[in-house]
Amino acid sequence: MRTADQYAADLFSASAHHKWKWARSRTSGADMLRLCILSKLDAFRDRLRQLLAAGRRPGAPDADRMIYPCDE
């Protein structure tokens, strides 16, 4: 998530997304940063799903379950 935060800071800065380091052939730097952010968010979502699935295994000890305030 720190990497996505840095990408967002570059995207919303006055000039960082215009730098050559983000532009790729026909893709603008801003579009490239958006794609990078989406990729990081997708990976984060997938990891959360894995953790939730692991916490809901039948027979898993309660200490291993993820508990949310709405579950109590």
Side-chain angles (χ1 to χ4, degrees):
M1 292 306 294
R2 280 181 240 142
T3 305
D5 181 52
Q6 183 57 53
Y7 291 156
D10 284 354
L11 177 63
F12 290 105
S13 74
S15 62
H17 68 273
H18 294 292
K19 292 182 181 178
W20 62 269
K21 73 177 188 175
W22 293 117
R24 302 288 186 273
S25 61
R26 294 182 178 187
T27 306
S28 72
D31 286 341
M32 205 57 211
L33 284 164
R34 285 185 196 100
L35 291 172
C36 290
I37 292 167
L38 287 173
S39 172
K40 294 297 178 188
L41 291 175
D42 284 344
F44 183 73
R45 181 198 58 216
D46 292 344
R47 181 65 179 139
L48 284 177
R49 285 182 178 163
Q50 289 174 350
L51 292 171
L52 286 172
R56 292 186 179 154
R57 285 188 320 245
D62 285 341
D64 292 341
R65 271 188 61 234
M66 294 181 69
I67 298 175
Y68 295 94
C70 61
D71 293 339
E72 295 178 357

